[in-house]
PDB file of all heavy atoms in Angstrom:
ATOM      1  N   LYS B1372    -145.880-175.156  75.139  1.00  0.00           N
ATOM      2  CA  LYS B1372    -145.693-176.439  75.768  1.00  0.00           C
ATOM      3  C   LYS B1372    -146.999-177.122  75.801  1.00  0.00           C
ATOM      4  O   LYS B1372    -147.173-178.381  75.473  1.00  0.00           O
ATOM      5  CB  LYS B1372    -145.071-176.273  77.188  1.00  0.00           C
ATOM      6  CG  LYS B1372    -144.991-177.628  77.908  1.00  0.00           C
ATOM      7  CD  LYS B1372    -144.311-177.535  79.246  1.00  0.00           C
ATOM      8  CE  LYS B1372    -143.906-178.854  79.877  1.00  0.00           C
ATOM      9  NZ  LYS B1372    -145.033-179.833  79.887  1.00  0.00           N
ATOM     10  N   THR B1373    -148.134-176.349  76.166  1.00  0.00           N
ATOM     11  CA  THR B1373    -149.414-177.032  76.157  1.00  0.00           C
ATOM     12  C   THR B1373    -149.846-177.565  74.765  1.00  0.00           C
ATOM     13  O   THR B1373    -150.316-178.638  74.704  1.00  0.00           O
ATOM     14  CB  THR B1373    -150.524-175.918  76.598  1.00  0.00           C
ATOM     15  OG1 THR B1373    -150.104-175.383  77.884  1.00  0.00           O
ATOM     16  CG2 THR B1373    -151.871-176.479  76.660  1.00  0.00           C
ATOM     17  N   LEU B1374    -149.370-176.774  73.722  1.00  0.00           N
ATOM     18  CA  LEU B1374    -149.763-177.218  72.364  1.00  0.00           C
ATOM     19  C   LEU B1374    -148.895-178.444  72.059  1.00  0.00           C
ATOM     20  O   LEU B1374    -149.376-179.464  71.536  1.00  0.00           O
ATOM     21  CB  LEU B1374    -149.517-176.033  71.370  1.00  0.00           C
ATOM     22  CG  LEU B1374    -150.526-174.840  71.469  1.00  0.00           C
ATOM     23  CD1 LEU B1374    -150.150-173.723  70.693  1.00  0.00           C
ATOM     24  CD2 LEU B1374    -151.854-175.254  71.172  1.00  0.00           C
ATOM     25  N   GLY B1375    -147.619-178.302  72.379  1.00  0.00           N
ATOM     26  CA  GLY B1375    -146.696-179.436  72.087  1.00  0.00           C
ATOM     27  C   GLY B1375    -147.091-180.741  72.663  1.00  0.00           C
ATOM     28  O   GLY B1375    -147.099-181.783  72.014  1.00  0.00           O
ATOM     29  N   ASP B1376    -147.472-180.687  73.929  1.00  0.00           N
ATOM     30  CA  ASP B1376    -147.896-181.820  74.667  1.00  0.00           C
ATOM     31  C   ASP B1376    -149.063-182.548  74.033  1.00  0.00           C
ATOM     32  O   ASP B1376    -149.296-183.704  74.169  1.00  0.00           O
ATOM     33  CB  ASP B1376    -148.221-181.507  76.182  1.00  0.00           C
ATOM     34  CG  ASP B1376    -147.041-181.159  76.954  1.00  0.00           C
ATOM     35  OD1 ASP B1376    -145.878-181.262  76.426  1.00  0.00           O
ATOM     36  OD2 ASP B1376    -147.139-180.550  78.081  1.00  0.00           O
ATOM     37  N   ASN B1377    -149.842-181.745  73.350  1.00  0.00           N
ATOM     38  CA  ASN B1377    -151.047-182.263  72.693  1.00  0.00           C
ATOM     39  C   ASN B1377    -150.870-182.547  71.203  1.00  0.00           C
ATOM     40  O   ASN B1377    -151.826-182.725  70.438  1.00  0.00           O
ATOM     41  CB  ASN B1377    -152.184-181.338  72.979  1.00  0.00           C
ATOM     42  CG  ASN B1377    -152.599-181.405  74.361  1.00  0.00           C
ATOM     43  OD1 ASN B1377    -153.434-182.337  74.712  1.00  0.00           O
ATOM     44  ND2 ASN B1377    -152.228-180.444  75.281  1.00  0.00           N
ATOM     45  N   GLY B1378    -149.647-182.506  70.671  1.00  0.00           N
ATOM     46  CA  GLY B1378    -149.308-182.812  69.315  1.00  0.00           C
ATOM     47  C   GLY B1378    -149.768-181.821  68.293  1.00  0.00           C
ATOM     48  O   GLY B1378    -149.979-182.119  67.128  1.00  0.00           O
ATOM     49  N   ILE B1379    -149.936-180.588  68.799  1.00  0.00           N
ATOM     50  CA  ILE B1379    -150.272-179.506  67.987  1.00  0.00           C
ATOM     51  C   ILE B1379    -149.068-178.910  67.327  1.00  0.00           C
ATOM     52  O   ILE B1379    -148.148-178.559  68.077  1.00  0.00           O
ATOM     53  CB  ILE B1379    -151.088-178.409  68.589  1.00  0.00           C
ATOM     54  CG1 ILE B1379    -152.350-178.986  69.327  1.00  0.00           C
ATOM     55  CG2 ILE B1379    -151.488-177.263  67.669  1.00  0.00           C
ATOM     56  CD1 ILE B1379    -153.462-179.398  68.385  1.00  0.00           C
ATOM     57  N   ASP B1380    -149.029-178.721  65.989  1.00  0.00           N
ATOM     58  CA  ASP B1380    -147.816-178.214  65.259  1.00  0.00           C
ATOM     59  C   ASP B1380    -148.000-176.859  64.916  1.00  0.00           C
ATOM     60  O   ASP B1380    -149.107-176.467  64.210  1.00  0.00           O
ATOM     61  CB  ASP B1380    -147.562-179.159  64.110  1.00  0.00           C
ATOM     62  CG  ASP B1380    -146.230-178.707  63.464  1.00  0.00           C
ATOM     63  OD1 ASP B1380    -145.303-178.106  64.094  1.00  0.00           O
ATOM     64  OD2 ASP B1380    -146.065-179.311  62.284  1.00  0.00           O
TER      65      ASP B1380
END
Side-chain angles (χ1 to χ4, degrees):
Chain B
K1372 182 173 188 308
T1373 304
L1374 293 173
D1376 289 349
N1377 287 279
I1379 302 288
D1380 189 16

